[in-house]
């Protein structure tokens, strides 16, 4: 899935200078990346101040030039190796927007997103090559920065299909039965303005300014047709989709996503993540359902809990991330294992147990969550947490697991304040626009 | 100034495993960095998928291992090459805090910050090696992540010295005359809760989670002695202190900081940035005064301005960043230059002209600003802007320039909402604590 523009596809080379290899040019990070992600664990020797380069040394590339193709069987940004930064936006269609307006927008979004993921500006004219007496096509803050592994993923919310809106857009009868507002779960304290939405765009990149630039410019293209409902920034992925890099840690200091569905688990992806080819309605074949949950963490309370309590709540140890039944991070937990005093090694209400596939009829999800920090409240407490994103072939997978977490010890330290469900259609072929199988 | 822990000082090697070189270990970014910053522009050849390694190839290091020494003549985080991420916190001393309490805190902060900047946890016990029945010393989300070029810079606000507080702390007579609340400037729309403060900590790092971890853990150490007054996150530096990497762009899409005081301008640093050795009071010798300004940008208005208008406002072109009088980015602007129609090439009220040293009696400042994005307001507009940070030997430098910007065309598109001034003392010697020359 990963390619570098330096060795890129014919398509990314067609576009001339802006898409061409940038040998000798550097992102402002001034860093080198290992080619792809599969070699990140490869051995490279160093001696004081000088690289000891042996013949097995992997290729190094400027991470700014990493490009994930926009078109494909599935949308990028699901199994794509999780990037470091997120900018997520939910939109509502305006009351005056017609079906034609929305289709035009989806075409324009597709074209712009495809360019952005190649590290180009939204149009040929971009920020500086258009008529000087008009506003520039591109806002320009990512000029020359490169793609930085940007992916742009589109989804449709239930409210797009229902009520007056669904009738006006002519898609009232095309809503999948699974696509409906998520139920209110135990302890949910949802805030309306940061939940739901008619449409969504998930932009992920290894540079925050690139992700921000994508959402800003796509929002700008949507002006007059849709309006921004809510947005979310995130950093420091909290779940990987590949095991070549260490499992990241969430803001509770624990490794997160150890049991995630990985991009190379082909069978699990078919069973758990991708909507099957014989789907109803047919336009969702090859797509997936995306759940987002904004989860505030009461950081100060957590930080005052003992190490033993923290580990009991999670069911894993804080350093290695191994289940409390023993072993290492990727050792399967043994829920029947007991301590010397006869108590269960893994608490029956621990997060790892209640969320585990073994306790959920084998159900799994593909997660791509991010940490967020939004300053401090009036008491000086951190406003921080986890923006949870997961993909599954049926939203019921998330609903069942979330219901099973009703007794989760972790609930004492978290608060769900935002919630949304989106139908993410399959990927596009070249020349096709996102949503064409829905509107076409 | 820059060292890698792999080739590091004797001190950083003394600390055993956690401070030792981490050959073969990788940050979760999984990327390689060029050693230091001075080689970022060096040529490295690539052929499709394989590095073409020639003998001139610079050393590559894991950027996670870049360490800037905490102790030194000046505090780190001023001339240090500007990192990619900022977490800034201002604190107020509690009413019950005694001089002894505050001195103890400054000692504890110094010790913890020195460890953190080496990529260590706040104490030996850290997140997982302490007693399991107590809360861990370290919150643990940056375990094994490395230093990522972290710097931690401390400052003292005017309010620490004045009123009851200054008397209680015994420093009422030690306030520099220059250290007083900044005046209200034309068009200031300051919001009290995000201005001023008794103390501040600026944490900068190339990874956001590392910067966040530093402020979170230092805040935690301060619990009971100080409380958080306001915090600010930032990404994508908007000014460099070195010219080896391209000048970054702000959210208006323009290069920013072209005329910044650079770390290698020794004479300018002495003249403009460092408080001289014969300072009054003596404890500020070798220090600097830091101004912070939270500047909201009305992004949507800007994005609807024509390219010509945007360039007229800034006085530079949007692509290259050259002054409108001609040349390239680093060409000096010629304010008398005229267009063919006889009008001035650079508008008299353009930002570049009014902020230029030539229009300010030669006054300059060292800037380290960051972009910020804080979601969207109820209208769907971006809450975004520039967190401006500058260092100068006398706050009057900032005050004079800011007063000169009264007619700045840019004022139509920005709004200053936060403002603060801090006295940043000189660096510490080993065994010394931050503020020792003030309290000792």
């Amino acid at each position: 899935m990963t390619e570098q523009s330096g060795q890129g596809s014919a398509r990314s080379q067609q576009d001339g200078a802006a898409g061409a290899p940038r040998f000798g040019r550097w992102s402002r990070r001034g860093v080198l990346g290992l080619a792809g992600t599969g070699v990140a664990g490869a051995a490279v020797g160093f001696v004081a101040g000088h690289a000891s380069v042996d013949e097995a040394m992997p290729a190094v590339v400027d991470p700014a030039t990493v490009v994930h193709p926009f078109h494909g069987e599935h949308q990028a940004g699901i199994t794509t190796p999780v990037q470091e930064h997120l900018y997520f936006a939910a939109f509502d269609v305006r009351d005056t927007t017609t079906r034609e307006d929305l289709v035009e927008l989806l075409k324009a979004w597709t074209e712009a997103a495809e360019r952005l993921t190649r590290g180009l500006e939204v149009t040929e004219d971009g920020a500086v090559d258009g008529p000087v007496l008009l506003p520039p096509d591109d806002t320009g803050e990512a000029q020359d920065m490169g793609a930085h592994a940007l992916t742009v993923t589109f989804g449709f919310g239930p409210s797009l299909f229902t009520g007056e809106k669904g009738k006006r857009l002519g898609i009232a009868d095309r809503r999948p039965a699974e696509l409906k507002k998520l139920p209110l779960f135990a302890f949910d304290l949802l805030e309306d303005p940061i939940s739901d939405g008619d449409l969504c765009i998930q932009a992920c990149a290894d540079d925050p300014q690139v992700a921000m630039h994508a959402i800003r410019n796509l929002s700008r293209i949507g002006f007059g047709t849709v309006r921004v409902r809510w947005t979310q920034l995130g950093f420091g992925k909290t779940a990987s989709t590949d095991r070549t890099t260490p499992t990241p840690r969430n803001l509770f200091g624990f490794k997160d996503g150890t049991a995630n569905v990985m991009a190379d688990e082909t069978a699990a992806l078919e069973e758990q993540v991708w909507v099957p080819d014989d789907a109803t309605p047919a336009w969702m074949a090859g797509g997936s359902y995306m759940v987002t949950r904004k989860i505030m963490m009461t950081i100060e309370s957590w930080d005052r809990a003992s190490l033993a309590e923290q580990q009991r709540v999670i069911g894993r140890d804080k350093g290695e991330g191994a289940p409390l039944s023993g072993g290492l991070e990727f050792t399967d937990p043994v829920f029947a294992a007991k301590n010397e005093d006869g108590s269960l090694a893994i608490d029956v209400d621990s997060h790892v147990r209640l969320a585990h596939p073994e306790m959920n009829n084998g159900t799994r999800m593909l997660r791509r969550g991010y940490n967020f920090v939004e300053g401090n409240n009036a008491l000086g407490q951190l406003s921080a947490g986890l923006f949870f994103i997961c993909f599954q072939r049926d939203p019921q997978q998330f609903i069942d697991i979330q219901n099973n977490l009703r007794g989760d010890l972790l609930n004492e330290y978290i608060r769900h304040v935002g919630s949304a469900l989106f139908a993410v259609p399959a990927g596009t072929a070249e020349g096709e626009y996102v949503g064409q199988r829905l509107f076409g």
Side-chain angles (χ1 to χ4, degrees), chain A residues 338-360:
Chain A
K338 292 191 175 174
N339 299 316
E340 281 178 16
D341 66 1
S343 62
L344 285 170
I346 299 177
D347 194 289
V348 288
D349 289 328
S350 66
H351 184 70
V352 71
R353 181 173 176 278
L354 294 179
H356 198 273
E358 205 177 296
M359 299 294 144
N360 291 279

Side-chain angles (χ1 to χ4, degrees), chain A residues 107-156:
Chain A
K107 286 177 180 172
W109 270 355
T110 302
E111 191 178 339
E114 197 277 330
R115 289 181 59 88
L116 290 168
T117 56
R118 280 188 286 150
L120 304 179
E121 295 183 287
V122 285
T123 65
E124 286 262 329
D125 278 353
V128 301
D129 293 330
V132 293
L133 295 180
L134 292 178
D137 287 348
D138 188 290
T139 56
E141 73 272 23
Q143 284 175 72
D144 306 319
M145 285 188 63
H148 280 284
L150 175 70
T151 54
V152 179
T153 314
F154 295 89
F156 303 118

